[in-house]
Amino acid sequence: ADEGVNGNVKYSLKKITEKASKILQLDIDRGDIKLVRSLDFEEGDSYEMVVQAHDGGALSDTAKVI
């Protein structure tokens, strides 16, 4: 693990579908993705977002979450 400013990782949503934004929430400090309400498989069977992690320096990366 990095120390100092490079060890301070924050998370953000780079892209999220409207459907997913009504169901899922991202914790910007921990990167946890949580349900904000119950899933309804009649509304949709999958949800998609792109999460970016960036440290206190200049490094970042993204991941597609389905």
Side-chain angles (χ1 to χ4, degrees):
D2 283 338
E3 294 180 0
V5 72
N6 292 329
N8 186 14
V9 179
K10 297 290 184 185
Y11 302 87
S12 61
L13 292 171
K14 297 307 291 179
K15 181 180 175 184
I16 187 168
T17 63
E18 183 178 342
K19 180 172 63 169
S21 69
K22 295 177 182 177
I23 304 263
L24 303 167
Q25 181 179 40
L26 175 69
D27 182 304
I28 62 170
D29 294 315
R30 296 176 43 144
D32 296 340
I33 299 169
K34 298 179 182 182
L35 289 172
V36 294
R37 67 177 179 92
S38 298
L39 294 175
D40 182 348
F41 289 102
E42 291 180 5
E43 290 180 12
D45 60 355
S46 68
Y47 300 88
E48 185 175 317
M49 67 178 76
V50 176
V51 177
Q52 181 178 46
H54 46 93
D55 67 11
L59 297 178
S60 67
D61 203 358
T62 58
K64 182 186 249 185
V65 180
I66 299 175

